[in-house]
């Protein structure tokens, strides 16, 4: 494979990803050595490094039937196979979503369209090998490979009622009966895909570098499960919306864009005007051809409200033929290199920014928390050292007075710690009893059952939209109540700690329940998507059909997972907050005992004063060394994230 811009970008992404994971591991190792952070935070750092190494850029190709998505994927990623890899051409091609990912051995896993897996999402089904048919592949054998891959084109004739159970049959249309009846199977039957999903696992350098490709079936191809294609697009890091250059943005294209893709970040999308070779003929001059393509790109950008740079005109067929036959002029004229540049310079950097922002926030919090503790320790050592120096000059009865005072401090601290521990237990019981009440799974299940009945009972698009909206209003209200209770609990926790903080000079602590805020933002985004779904005109004809039912069941699963994860996050937040407070108290107690031992030794021998001063100097030097190490890590963190789009060598 040659070193195209896309290859280089993916290799840089893989290197950058590994370098970032190494930085996380470096900070994690340093933090383990200092042992100043809660165990939950340390575990999060370890998991974060592993997750970063496993991060992939998932790009979904989406569009109407016969737009050339599979051919485009062939031209971009599989031209080194020396044959047309994915099935493409005239007639039906990809009939189910195909996820292409890295593996050590080449094979395809096919998920049959069957009732037993109907209500399970693909993520869960991937973990169950018994649902899939696994077929090994030998890529050097073109004929056998193509024979295996042609299975993703396979269809089956089923009764209309069964097709509707899968949500794969549109409403009856007397004006277009060919869409609801199969001529080869007879009246009352319809063709649907044989497979619900396909996992194509390949030993391919681009995939190994961190790329995952999803080829979705055309929305208007009979037997395609549109919801699956939409789910794949929504869960992908970026999407490429494929249009026909000669047709531009059709009404059905616009409908797909507005209802399904416009919700995604504009920075994570490219629009491809494929088959631009059909836009002009041999009678056109190169200048005329360029003008036509430029005009179509501008019209497309205006219609979809994206920047002109995000609209790329290519001919996937010309690109693939040019690369297979090593015709550089045809490759250059096809525009495929512009698309590779768009993926390399737009889609991959957006993925890197997401990873960088999330990682930087976690690492910065870890460094800041440790710096605060070290600064407190340094200040404590400085105060004690000054006290020892005064003692050195005034040794005598003052030592006994200080010794008595230190014993009282230790006794009071022990009593206060016991009282604080009892208060913690009360607050933990309050958290289990009251904090999680607004996120009750039983109440949520009741809400889901009521909403399901309401949705399946309405017969208008507005009614479906209104029921989805009401469901989210009630769900978000639970999140808001949980946030209010968490804030009240946070005030109690900080108030209880603040009294000890002021009395014993403990590090300051902020227990703001920030864990709920990103969860609420995700729920709002989910609400916006499903309210858009409720406005789709084509579902009005079948409000009790499989499409609405499946959409709501999918929504219910997602919200249930949201609530479960949020409940775990809230309890972890309470545990980690108290763990951090207890760690500060434990260090304070240890320092108080250390000071008591030092004063006792001083009382026994005034010569011990100098020994204690020397010990404090060594401790001060150690703390300063650790603070210098931490500052170096902070500087490295700042340099690394100054521009997350640079390559590792330039960072």
């Amino acid at each position: 494979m040659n070193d195209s811009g896309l290859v280089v970008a993916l290799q840089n992404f893989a290197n950058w990803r590994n370098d970032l994971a190494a930085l996380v591991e470096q900070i994690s190792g340093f933090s383990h050595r200092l042992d100043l952070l809660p165990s939950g935070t340390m575990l999060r750092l370890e998991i974060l490094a592993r997750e970063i190494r496993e991060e992939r850029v998932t790009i979904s190709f989406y569009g109407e039937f016969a737009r050339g998505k599979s051919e485009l994927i062939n031209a971009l990623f599989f031209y080194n196979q020396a044959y047309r890899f994915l099935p493409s051409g005239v007639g039906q091609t990809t009939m189910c979503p195909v996820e292409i990912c890295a593996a050590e051995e080449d094979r395809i896993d096919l998920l049959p369209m069957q009732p037993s897996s109907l209500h399970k999402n693909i993520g869960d089904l991937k973990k169950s090998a018994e649902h899939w048919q696994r077929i090994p592949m030998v890529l050097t054998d073109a004929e056998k490979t193509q024979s295996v891959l042609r299975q993703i084109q396979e269809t089956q004739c089923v009764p209309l009622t069964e097709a509707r159970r899968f949500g794969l049959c549109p409403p009856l249309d007397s004006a277009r009966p060919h869409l609801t009846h199969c001529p080869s199977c007879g009246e009352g039957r319809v063709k649907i895909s044989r497979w619900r999903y396909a996992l194509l696992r390949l030993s391919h350098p681009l995939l190994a570098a961190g790329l995952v490709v999803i080829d979705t079936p055309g929305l208007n191809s009979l037997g395609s499960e549109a919801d699956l294609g939409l789910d794949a697009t929504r869960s992908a890091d970026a999407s490429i919306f494929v249009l026909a250059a000669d047709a531009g943005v059709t009404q059905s294209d616009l409908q797909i864009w507005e209802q399904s893709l416009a919700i995604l970040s504009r920075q994570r999308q490219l629009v491809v005007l494929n088959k631009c070779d059909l836009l002009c003929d041999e009678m056109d001059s190169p200048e005329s051809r360029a003008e036509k393509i430029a005009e179509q790109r501008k019209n497309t950008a205006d219609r979809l409200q994206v920047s002109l740079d995000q609209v790329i005109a290519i001919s996937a067929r010309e690109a693939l033929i040019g690369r297979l036959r090593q015709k550089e002029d045809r490759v250059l004229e096809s525009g495929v290199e512009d698309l590779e540049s768009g993926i390399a310079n737009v889609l991959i950097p957006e993925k890197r920014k997401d990873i960088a922002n999330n990682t930087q926030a976690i690492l910065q919090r870890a460094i800041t928390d440790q710096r605060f503790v070290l600064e407190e320790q340094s200040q404590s050592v400085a105060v004690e050292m000054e006290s020892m120096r005064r003692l050195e000059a005034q040794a005598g009865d003052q030592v006994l007075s200080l010794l008595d005072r230190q014993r009282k401090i230790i006794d009071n601290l022990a009593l206060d710690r016991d009282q604080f521990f009892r208060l913690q237990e009360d607050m933990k019981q309050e958290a289990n009893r009251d904090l999680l009440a607004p996120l009750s799974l039983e109440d949520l299940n009741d809400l889901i059952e009521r909403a399901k009945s309401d949705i399946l009972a309405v017969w208008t698009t507005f009614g479906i939209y209104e029921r989805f909206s009401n469901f989210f209003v009630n769900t978000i209200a639970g999140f808001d109540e949980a946030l209010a209770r968490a804030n009240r609990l946070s005030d109690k926790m900080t108030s209880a700690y603040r009294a000890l903080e002021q009395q014993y000079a403990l590090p300051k602590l902020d227990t703001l329940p920030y864990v709920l805020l990103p969860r609420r933002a995700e729920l709002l985004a989910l609400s916006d998507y499903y309210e858009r779904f409720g406005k789709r005109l084509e579902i009005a004809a079948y409000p009790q059909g499989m499409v609405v039912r499946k959409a709501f069941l999918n929504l219910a699963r997602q919200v249930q997972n949201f609530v479960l994860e949020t409940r775990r996050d809230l309890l972890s937040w309470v545990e980690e907050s108290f763990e951090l407070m207890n760690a500060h108290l434990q260090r304070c107690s240890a320092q108080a005992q250390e000071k008591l031992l030092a004063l006792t030794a001083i009382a026994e021998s005034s010569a011990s004063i100098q020994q204690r001063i020397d010990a404090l100097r060594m401790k001060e030097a150690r703390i300063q060394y650790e603070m210098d190490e931490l500052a170096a890590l902070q500087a490295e963190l700042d340099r690394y994230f100054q521009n997350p789009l640079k390559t590792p060598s330039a960072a």
Side-chain angles (χ1 to χ4, degrees):
M1 180 169 291
N2 60 14
D3 290 336
S4 67
L6 180 55
V7 174
V8 173
L10 280 166
Q11 289 171 343
N12 285 340
F13 171 73
N15 294 336
W16 176 87
R17 192 183 62 208
N18 290 332
D19 285 354
L20 180 57
L23 176 60
V24 175
E25 290 167 346
Q26 183 181 359
I27 293 176
S28 176
F30 172 82
S31 303
H32 268 102
R33 180 157 53 84
L34 262 61
D35 195 25
L36 301 177
L37 296 176
S39 57
T41 303
M42 296 306 308
L43 180 61
R44 187 176 299 119
L45 289 175
E46 293 176 9
I47 293 173
L48 178 63
R50 184 172 66 251
E51 288 177 342
I52 290 172
R53 292 191 188 278
E54 295 173 355
E55 281 284 3
R56 298 293 181 264
V57 179
T58 302
I59 301 177
S60 175
F61 289 75
Y62 200 75
E64 287 277 29
F65 176 64
R67 294 295 192 257
K69 298 183 295 296
S70 300
E71 188 81 334
L72 184 57
I73 293 172
N74 285 333
L76 282 170
F77 310 118
F78 298 115
Y79 55 87
N80 276 21
Q81 293 303 129
Y83 58 89
R84 179 174 274 115
F85 187 63
L86 293 178
S88 61
V90 179
Q92 67 186 39
T93 53
T94 304
M95 296 300 293
C96 68
V98 180
E99 180 178 332
I100 310 171
C101 53
E104 294 182 2
E105 297 181 358
D106 302 317
R107 73 170 196 263
I108 186 169
D109 298 345
L110 297 168
L111 178 66
M113 192 76 69
Q114 54 189 10
S116 61
S117 62
L118 179 60
H119 299 302
K120 297 180 181 179
N121 61 50
I122 296 299
D124 293 336
L125 289 169
K126 287 179 182 178
K127 303 172 186 176
S128 304
E130 67 271 12
H131 290 289
W132 302 77
Q133 293 186 20
R134 180 175 298 180
I135 305 173
M137 298 171 61
V138 181
L139 300 189
T140 53
D141 190 327
E143 185 176 347
K144 288 185 178 179
T145 297
Q146 291 178 319
S147 175
V148 170
L149 290 179
R150 276 195 290 271
Q151 293 191 60
I152 63 178
Q153 300 176 303
E154 292 180 352
T155 59
Q156 55 184 331
C157 280
V158 298
L160 286 171
T161 53
E162 183 174 347
R164 291 201 179 95
R165 285 178 61 203
F166 290 105
L168 300 181
C169 183
L172 290 173
D173 188 343
S174 58
R176 297 184 298 169
H178 60 282
L179 293 181
T180 51
H181 297 281
C182 178
S184 61
C185 301
E187 187 75 15
R189 299 181 69 83
V190 67
K191 276 187 178 180
I192 66 170
S193 174
R194 181 183 174 191
W195 312 106
R196 183 180 173 194
Y197 206 82
L199 286 171
L200 184 53
R201 305 176 185 272
L202 303 174
S203 54
H204 189 287
L206 284 180
L207 303 177
L211 179 69
V212 175
V213 177
I214 299 179
D215 184 13
T216 63
L219 183 63
N220 60 351
S221 60
L222 183 62
S224 69
E225 190 170 7
D227 286 350
L228 277 178
L230 291 173
D231 285 343
T233 299
R234 190 171 61 251
S235 62
D237 299 306
S239 67
I240 295 179
F241 188 38
V242 184
L243 306 172
D246 55 343
V249 183
T250 66
Q251 190 59 38
S252 59
D253 291 326
L254 187 61
Q255 186 178 18
I256 295 172
W257 177 265
E258 290 179 343
Q259 295 180 353
S260 306
L261 301 180
I263 190 175
L264 303 175
S265 169
R266 287 286 195 272
Q267 286 71 37
R268 299 183 182 183
Q269 295 179 331
L270 293 176
V271 179
V272 169
L273 288 171
N274 193 19
K275 306 181 183 181
C276 63
D277 51 309
L278 302 179
L279 196 61
C280 310
D281 56 39
E282 296 180 358
M283 301 295 291
D284 290 323
S285 65
E287 294 79 10
S288 174
R289 181 177 183 276
E291 288 176 1
K292 288 183 179 181
I293 292 175
E295 181 180 4
Q296 192 70 302
R297 286 181 61 221
K298 183 180 184 307
N299 291 339
T300 300
D302 292 343
R303 193 89 186 273
L304 300 181
Q305 297 181 350
V306 297
S307 69
L308 187 60
D309 291 340
Q310 289 176 266
V311 181
I312 301 169
I314 78 166
S315 171
R317 177 178 175 277
E318 287 296 303
L320 180 60
I321 293 174
R323 284 179 161 173
L324 291 178
R325 298 178 181 176
Q326 298 184 348
K327 301 290 186 181
E328 290 299 325
D329 54 337
R330 295 184 71 167
V331 174
L332 183 62
E333 291 178 3
S334 72
V336 70
E337 293 179 351
D338 294 334
L339 178 55
E340 290 178 332
S341 177
I343 297 173
N345 299 323
V346 177
L347 302 186
I348 294 177
E350 284 300 314
K351 175 65 173 180
R352 284 176 54 166
K353 269 201 283 189
D354 282 349
I355 299 172
N357 290 339
N358 177 60
T359 304
Q360 185 177 16
I362 295 174
L363 295 184
Q364 187 61 63
R365 178 73 181 262
I367 288 178
T368 300
D369 287 350
Q370 291 176 100
R371 184 173 66 246
F372 284 161
V373 174
L374 289 175
E375 288 173 350
E376 293 286 344
Q377 289 181 354
S378 178
Q379 184 177 358
S380 176
V381 169
V383 170
E384 187 178 352
M385 187 177 291
E386 179 62 27
S387 175
M388 290 296 103
R389 284 172 178 153
R390 287 198 303 269
L391 279 175
E392 191 176 26
Q394 305 172 5
D397 293 339
Q398 290 186 12
V399 175
L400 297 177
S401 175
L402 289 172
L403 189 59
D404 183 58
R405 179 185 173 190
Q406 189 64 22
R407 289 193 181 104
K408 290 180 180 178
I409 290 175
I410 290 174
D411 291 342
N412 290 336
L413 179 58
L415 292 173
D416 289 340
R417 284 185 68 188
D418 290 342
Q419 183 178 358
F420 186 64
F421 290 156
R422 289 193 295 272
L423 187 60
Q424 283 183 35
E425 292 304 315
D426 292 341
M427 290 187 185
K428 287 179 182 178
Q429 290 179 14
E430 179 183 349
N432 281 294
R433 183 183 64 251
D434 299 331
L435 182 57
L436 301 182
L439 301 176
S440 164
L441 295 177
E442 182 178 350
D443 291 346
L444 176 63
N445 289 334
D446 289 343
L447 176 62
I448 288 172
E449 288 302 317
R450 291 196 303 271
K452 182 168 65 175
S453 298
D454 289 345
I455 288 173
L456 294 178
V458 296
W459 292 86
T460 64
T461 301
F462 176 77
I464 295 170
Y465 161 75
E466 185 180 39
R467 297 311 190 278
F468 273 111
S469 179
N470 290 340
F471 174 73
F472 277 105
V473 167
N474 293 327
T475 306
I476 292 171
F479 271 70
D480 289 341
E481 176 61 23
L483 179 59
R485 295 189 183 194
N487 278 319
R488 290 195 292 270
L489 182 61
S490 176
D491 291 340
K492 287 185 181 180
M493 293 163 65
T494 51
S495 295
Y497 178 81
R498 193 170 292 119
L500 300 175
E501 173 191 311
Q502 295 170 352
Q503 185 173 353
Y504 299 106
L506 300 176
K508 296 186 183 299
L509 187 67
D510 175 16
T511 62
L512 178 68
Y514 66 95
V515 293
L516 273 177
L517 298 178
R519 287 286 179 199
R520 190 180 188 279
E522 290 181 53
L523 193 61
L524 286 173
L526 193 64
S527 169
D528 185 53
Y529 171 78
Y530 276 98
E531 287 178 10
R532 286 172 178 269
F533 170 83
K535 292 180 180 180
R536 286 164 56 176
L537 296 177
E538 67 270 18
I539 69 172
Y542 266 92
Q544 294 178 314
M546 197 61 201
V547 172
V548 174
R549 178 181 177 83
K550 287 179 62 181
F552 184 77
L553 290 176
N554 186 48
L555 165 63
R557 282 193 296 268
Q558 293 182 65
V559 172
Q560 285 170 331
N561 289 335
F562 265 35
V563 170
L564 280 171
E565 292 168 3
T566 304
R567 287 169 63 92
R568 286 195 294 267
D569 288 347
L570 281 173
L571 292 179
S572 296
W573 160 68
V574 173
E575 288 291 339
E576 288 184 16
S577 297
F578 280 133
E579 187 178 348
L580 186 58
M581 295 176 188
N582 294 336
H584 292 332
L585 283 168
Q586 177 62 33
R587 278 190 290 271
C588 179
S589 178
Q591 290 169 0
Q593 291 289 347
E594 183 183 358
K595 187 174 181 179
L596 177 64
L597 291 174
L599 287 170
T600 302
I602 291 170
E604 295 173 354
S605 173
S606 59
S608 298
I609 295 177
Q610 187 58 49
Q611 294 176 6
R612 178 58 181 167
I613 291 176
D614 291 341
L616 287 172
R617 283 175 178 155
M618 292 180 62
K619 187 174 182 179
E620 183 180 48
R622 177 184 60 77
I623 293 173
Q624 186 58 52
Y625 179 76
E626 290 171 346
M627 291 182 69
D628 290 343
E629 281 189 291
L630 196 62
L633 286 175
Q634 179 69 69
E636 187 172 352
L637 190 67
D638 292 340
R639 284 195 303 272
Y640 198 92
F641 291 108
Q642 195 169 27
N643 185 353
L645 302 186
K646 289 183 179 180
T647 59
S649 61

